[in-house]
Amino acid sequence: MLAGHEEKYKQAVNMLSSGNQEEQIKAIRFIKNSIIGNITKKKLYMNLNISPILIKILSEDTYSNDMKIQSSVIIGSIANGNEKNIKKLVEDGAIKPLLDTCNTEDPKLYESAARALKSLLESDKTTHEILFEEKYLENIISHLKPCDFNLYGNIAMRNNPYRISEVTAQLISKISISPEEQNKIVQHETIPLLLNLITSKYDFYPKVQEAALEALSCICKGNKDICMNVLEAPLEDESKSTSKRLLKLVHSKRPEMKLLSITCLTNIFRSGITNEELKKEVLLIVLPVLIKLLNPPSSSTSLQSTQSFSSQERAPMIFSYLIAEDKDLQKAAMEGDAISKLANIIKMTKTSDDDNNYVNYIPTNSSLHNERLRESSLFAVASICAYEEEYRKNVIETKILPIIVSSMYHPNYGIRMAACHCTKSLSRSVKTLRTSLVDSGVINPLLKLLSDPDIQVQTVACAALCNVVLDFSPMKKFVLENDGVPRLVSLVHSMDSNLRLNAIWALKNIVFNAESNIKDQIIKELGWEQLYLLINDEELDIQEQAINLLRNLACTNEYDIEETINGLGETRIINIFENKLQWGIQNTNMINPTPKVDNIIIQTIWSLVNIYAGNEKHKKLLITDNILNSLFQLITHKNEIIRLAVIWCCINLTNPDDVGTPERKKKLISLQFPNAFKMLKNDPKIDVRNKVREVLKHFEEPSEIKSYNSLLMPLNRSNESLLSDLSLHNNNQYDDEDDEDEDEDLFDEYLPDSNY
């Protein structure tokens, strides 16, 4: 139908380049009116290469403001919700002329250009650099201040004199992403300008208040210094303080206002500010209101407003971020029946497509709303059950696990990712791993998602798999028998550091307490050279997990230790231990050492402990002067796990049953180890005190030595004893308060993601 009329659209585009101003304005208005809300026409005009013509109109002074306004509106409309169109417009150079156009005294022209910019910035692939050029940024922020005198004579602006401030705040929301961007924005007095817009004097213009709240929430997210400035800034309002004004807006009748004020308070609370009053307000006021917003979609969705749709979709995601990593808030959410509410939302989003793996799935406006609801609700479920077994049990009882599993096949990558987060949280329970998750068939989609086209989905699927392959999980065997190891090894080579981290973490967990043939299988796929590269990866987290993999490979029996030494090579393995320990000591002595340094030292020393449980050849190889001197310097380290690991090294080196023990004892005595250990006899940690007493007995005269065979087993049982005694530390597998109860929580084998 369109083809027969295509000529008139071509003609309209051609008229834009004519020298006749009357024809130009007629053509551009025709184009604007034809594309509004018409996806087909937008595509047609982009195919007719209208983009460079519109940009030329914005760039040249010969064109009237009216032409520039119409061009801006067309650009904004074409960009709206279309990633491909945004990419083409940005590549054609639309951003700079729009920014130049914003430098105008014509409020309508500024508004149209700013709205077009906002549409282009909807894509996270649009770069922000040019917007932060001083002349552009300063000009944009200056428009936050309402200037009624500039609106004289413009009827539309007089009806809402704050639309300029509204669109400017919306624009700021789109560019306040990184801490660097946030800091640059607040250097121009942005905070007082935005706070002014949320005061009661603008109550008759709620949209400008909502835009200001959104901008404030964006510049506050993850930025503690800015959050402090926002809380401490004076407020010209009867509330007197920002937090009290935000709390008042939490009780607004407008869903969007309510949710945006909650978002502001959430981002401030999650920034790390130590404020007991704020915590109390979040617990008693913000969280209960937020839980009330967790409602399933109405059966009469056509009657709901767009604003209500948006609030409904975003509320679970804000809830997820608010309660993440805070057990007090999670408990309060549980008591507020949040899990049941979220489960009801998830159930309401279930369609027949869930049962046929989304064959020929075509989303509609209604299904897109349901998709966003399901995604945010799954993220919320993942957050609330991340730590407590009782909450995970509650999630299982709501019978949404089949929907979680089917969501891993969903065409929407966000839903697949959220389902993996849920699985990761649920898999932190031994009982759930052995029962519900096995029965649900979750392992098949998890393995499939390791090859997902979206790298974020791969990353979270790999994180969930870390728990699924733990030694006691029935699914570990399935992973080994269904090409799980080759898939994980392929991810180890990824350029994405998070994916490399999770892949090596999963491989490390498979190797933990595994039979020698499984270790051989994994290292055959991975390769010793690749392991060495990972041990020296630029990312410290990856180094830690790679050394932990080395630790688990060199464990349990003499064969495993020998294979590890031969695989890496004697010279290289000596260098690994010498370099990591010396590097760790150097970095520990820095003014602000990172916890990651301690973690690498810990894994390095425990790896030594395992090798020192080997035969005389293994012990002799790794008692170089550099290694022993480094261990000596770490005896009194502030981290008790490091102190304990050093003691265990010496316990294994001075085993009374070993032939070479007398010679090693002489060397350790000459290096003052016994004297250093005596300093730990009153150590604040009981594990350290107990082990230091044992190692000191090893340095007594032979006639005084008692039998410690039950403590220091012969080679065939020494590592097994060590693993049993140190289950708290090996793989961070169990919570130290619950490691005797297999039904209690597992420590997550993946660092939790709060930037949902």
Side-chain angles (χ1 to χ4, degrees):
M1 183 177 72
L2 186 62
H5 300 282
E6 191 170 326
E7 190 59 39
K8 68 178 180 180
Y9 301 116
K10 286 183 180 178
Q11 185 180 359
V13 173
N14 291 334
M15 286 171 64
L16 291 179
S17 301
S18 73
N20 188 314
Q21 292 185 1
E22 190 175 327
E23 282 189 356
Q24 289 174 344
I25 198 70
K26 182 179 178 182
I28 203 163
R29 285 179 175 170
F30 169 79
I31 294 168
K32 182 193 74 173
N33 292 334
S34 64
I35 67 164
I36 301 295
N38 192 318
I39 297 173
T40 306
K41 298 277 182 66
K42 292 176 185 180
K43 183 178 179 181
L44 170 66
Y45 280 116
M46 288 300 283
N47 288 339
L48 291 172
N49 205 25
I50 195 174
S51 173
I53 301 172
L54 296 172
I55 292 169
K56 182 183 180 204
I57 292 170
L58 290 172
S59 304
E60 297 184 0
D61 294 337
T62 54
Y63 292 95
S64 67
N65 279 6
D66 194 10
M67 283 290 290
K68 292 178 186 292
I69 289 168
Q70 303 297 330
S71 295
S72 299
V73 171
I74 292 170
I75 288 173
S77 179
I78 289 174
N80 188 27
N82 190 309
E83 193 80 23
K84 183 179 178 182
N85 287 352
I86 292 174
K87 185 173 182 285
K88 178 71 168 72
L89 288 162
V90 171
E91 286 176 351
D92 286 346
I95 291 183
K96 185 179 185 303
L98 283 170
L99 284 167
D100 289 330
T101 303
C102 285
N103 188 19
T104 176
E105 293 184 0
D106 183 338
K108 196 168 183 182
L109 179 56
Y110 172 86
E111 182 186 4
S112 62
R115 290 193 187 280
L117 275 172
K118 184 171 78 77
S119 295
L120 293 176
L121 290 165
E122 291 292 344
S123 169
D124 56 11
K125 294 182 175 65
T126 302
T127 57
H128 299 171
E129 284 87 352
I130 190 171
L131 284 95
F132 284 89
E133 289 184 17
E134 195 67 21
K135 62 178 180 179
Y136 293 133
L137 185 60
E138 191 172 342
N139 175 55
I140 289 170
I141 293 173
S142 69
H143 284 84
L144 283 173
K145 187 174 182 179
C147 299
D148 297 354
F149 61 86
N150 283 335
L151 309 178
Y152 180 75
N154 190 311
I155 295 174
M157 292 298 177
R158 283 209 305 272
N159 289 339
N160 185 352
Y162 306 119
R163 273 167 49 182
I164 295 296
S165 300
E166 176 191 340
V167 70
T168 301
Q170 291 170 343
L171 194 54
I172 288 170
S173 300
K174 301 301 176 187
I175 60 173
S176 304
I177 310 300
S178 68
E180 294 78 16
E181 290 175 339
Q182 294 165 337
N183 292 335
K184 285 178 182 177
I185 287 169
V186 300
Q187 287 171 5
H188 295 270
E189 298 300 312
T190 311
I191 291 174
L193 289 171
L194 288 171
L195 289 177
N196 172 58
L197 294 175
I198 70 168
T199 55
S200 56
K201 62 185 173 185
Y202 296 100
D203 283 348
F204 289 106
Y205 299 97
K207 286 190 175 181
V208 76
Q209 291 179 322
E210 288 166 357
L213 284 170
E214 185 171 16
L216 279 169
S217 68
C218 289
I219 65 173
C220 282
K221 189 167 185 180
N223 198 314
K224 185 176 180 180
D225 290 338
I226 290 178
C227 289
M228 288 294 294
N229 290 338
V230 168
L231 284 182
E232 294 170 359
L235 197 69
E236 294 181 10
D237 185 87
E238 65 270 16
S239 302
K240 299 299 181 188
S241 79
T242 301
S243 61
K244 292 209 172 359
R245 178 59 182 166
L246 290 172
L247 287 167
K248 185 173 182 180
L249 293 172
V250 164
H251 296 291
S252 168
K253 293 181 180 179
R254 291 174 62 88
E256 189 73 359
M257 185 85 76
K258 192 188 296 280
L259 189 61
L260 285 167
S261 53
I262 287 173
T263 305
C264 258
L265 286 163
T266 295
N267 289 348
I268 292 170
F269 173 71
R270 284 299 311 275
S271 71
I273 290 175
T274 305
N275 187 322
E276 289 302 318
E277 185 62 27
L278 178 62
K279 172 75 177 277
K280 184 178 177 182
E281 290 166 343
V282 166
L283 198 59
L284 299 179
I285 301 173
V286 176
L287 183 61
V289 173
L290 184 53
I291 291 174
K292 287 181 181 178
L293 290 172
L294 301 177
N295 297 314
S298 169
S299 55
S300 57
T301 52
S302 60
L303 299 178
Q304 294 190 64
S305 67
T306 303
Q307 189 181 72
S308 176
F309 266 28
S310 175
S311 300
Q312 202 176 61
E313 293 163 5
R314 288 156 56 204
M317 197 67 86
I318 302 303
F319 170 85
S320 173
Y321 185 55
L322 176 62
I323 68 166
E325 303 175 33
D326 192 303
K327 293 187 178 182
D328 292 335
L329 291 177
Q330 289 168 6
K331 181 180 179 183
M334 178 73 177
E335 293 170 351
D337 204 25
I339 290 179
S340 295
K341 285 176 171 286
L342 291 165
N344 287 336
I345 295 174
I346 292 168
K347 289 174 183 176
M348 287 288 287
T349 65
K350 187 178 186 299
T351 66
S352 58
D353 293 302
D354 287 274
D355 302 318
N356 62 20
N357 289 345
Y358 308 93
V359 178
N360 300 321
Y361 178 74
I362 301 175
T364 62
N365 286 338
S366 175
S367 66
L368 285 172
H369 172 57
N370 282 345
E371 284 181 21
R372 287 188 284 264
L373 270 173
R374 185 187 293 196
E375 178 185 348
S376 60
S377 298
L378 287 172
F379 271 118
V381 168
S383 286
I384 200 170
C385 70
Y387 295 104
E388 296 295 333
E389 175 66 11
E390 179 189 352
Y391 307 164
R392 289 191 280 269
K393 181 181 177 184
N394 196 289
V395 170
I396 298 297
E397 288 173 351
T398 63
K399 303 189 184 302
I400 61 169
L401 188 53
I403 304 178
I404 293 173
V405 175
S406 71
S407 294
M408 292 186 184
Y409 295 102
H410 202 284
N412 185 316
Y413 83 95
I415 290 177
R416 298 197 300 275
M417 183 163 57
C420 289
H421 274 291
C422 275
T423 303
K424 178 165 72 74
S425 290
L426 291 170
S427 69
R428 296 178 76 181
S429 160
V430 178
K431 184 175 181 179
T432 305
L433 267 177
R434 287 177 168 170
T435 54
S436 305
L437 283 177
V438 175
D439 297 339
S440 71
V442 72
I443 190 63
N444 277 312
L446 266 185
L447 282 176
K448 181 180 178 182
L449 291 178
L450 292 180
S451 305
D452 194 88
D454 186 271
I455 196 165
Q456 293 182 75
V457 176
Q458 288 183 35
T459 301
V460 187
C462 197
L465 207 63
C466 287
N467 286 345
V468 168
V469 297
L470 287 167
D471 186 54
F472 43 75
S473 168
M475 290 179 276
K476 177 175 180 175
K477 183 179 179 183
F478 186 92
V479 172
L480 289 167
E481 293 175 351
N482 288 271
D483 294 329
V485 171
R487 294 191 198 188
L488 289 168
V489 168
S490 69
L491 299 181
V492 162
H493 296 273
S494 170
M495 295 299 291
D496 184 272
S497 60
N498 289 324
L499 196 48
R500 289 203 308 280
L501 172 64
N502 291 349
I504 194 68
W505 204 317
L507 289 170
K508 177 236 357 192
N509 283 359
I510 294 175
V511 169
F512 172 63
N513 215 20
E515 299 292 332
S516 297
N517 63 318
I518 293 176
K519 295 179 182 181
D520 290 343
Q521 174 191 342
I522 289 171
I523 202 63
K524 183 179 179 181
E525 289 284 347
L526 179 64
W528 292 106
E529 185 64 31
Q530 183 61 34
L531 176 58
Y532 181 72
L533 293 174
L534 291 165
I535 287 172
N536 294 290
D537 195 278
E538 60 185 18
E539 297 291 335
L540 297 184
D541 289 334
I542 294 173
Q543 286 190 33
E544 177 195 346
Q545 295 307 315
I547 298 169
N548 201 334
L549 174 56
L550 167 63
R551 165 187 175 180
N552 289 349
L553 286 168
C555 184
T556 306
N557 58 55
E558 185 175 319
Y559 169 83
D560 292 344
I561 298 171
E562 186 74 17
E563 285 295 297
T564 302
I565 292 173
N566 290 338
L568 285 168
E570 291 186 359
T571 301
R572 183 176 276 181
I573 204 165
I574 290 170
N575 288 337
I576 288 172
F577 287 111
E578 288 186 345
N579 293 340
K580 292 302 175 189
L581 290 174
Q582 288 169 12
W583 170 86
I585 291 168
Q586 289 168 4
N587 282 273
T588 298
N589 293 332
M590 293 173 64
I591 297 174
N592 293 310
T594 168
K596 294 179 182 180
V597 175
D598 281 8
N599 294 340
I600 289 175
I601 296 174
I602 287 167
Q603 295 306 330
T604 302
I605 302 178
W606 285 124
S607 299
L608 271 175
V609 169
N610 284 351
I611 295 175
Y612 285 162
N615 59 32
E616 290 298 315
K617 174 187 171 184
H618 303 148
K619 290 180 171 71
K620 187 175 181 180
L621 177 69
L622 293 177
I623 56 167
T624 68
D625 289 344
N626 285 338
I627 290 175
L628 292 180
N629 285 329
S630 294
L631 291 175
F632 183 82
Q633 292 180 65
L634 294 167
I635 288 175
T636 55
H637 195 280
K638 63 183 178 181
N639 188 312
E640 70 271 15
I641 300 176
I642 291 176
R643 299 197 300 274
L644 186 65
V646 173
I647 297 169
W648 264 106
C649 279
C650 290
I651 286 175
N652 281 358
L653 288 174
T654 57
N655 186 344
D657 295 332
D658 290 345
V659 175
T661 290
E663 183 181 343
R664 287 190 294 273
K665 281 172 58 176
K666 286 180 182 178
K667 188 165 188 175
L668 293 173
I669 290 170
S670 71
L671 294 172
Q672 300 297 310
F673 271 80
N675 290 338
F677 285 140
K678 288 175 184 177
M679 297 169 62
L680 302 181
K681 290 175 77 173
N682 296 314
D683 193 275
K685 297 296 180 179
I686 188 170
D687 285 348
V688 175
R689 294 199 301 272
N690 287 340
K691 294 305 173 191
V692 86
R693 281 197 295 269
E694 293 168 8
V695 76
L696 284 173
K697 287 180 181 179
H698 284 197
F699 287 100
E700 295 173 0
E701 291 301 315
S703 60
E704 299 176 290
I705 294 177
K706 300 177 183 178
S707 173
Y708 295 106
N709 286 346
S710 62
L711 182 67
L712 298 170
M713 303 291 185
L715 176 62
N716 63 338
R717 293 185 61 200
S718 61
N719 285 340
E720 183 182 346
S721 173
L722 176 60
L723 286 172
S724 174
D725 197 53
L726 299 175
S727 60
L728 162 62
H729 312 301
N730 199 353
N731 296 307
N732 295 329
Q733 192 173 333
Y734 294 104
D735 188 327
D736 57 344
E737 295 176 356
D738 303 318
D739 63 350
E740 293 181 357
D741 186 345
E742 68 174 17
D743 290 338
E744 292 295 339
D745 292 356
L746 291 176
F747 259 129
D748 199 349
E749 288 297 3
Y750 174 76
L751 297 175
D753 187 355
S754 59
N755 304 305
Y756 298 139

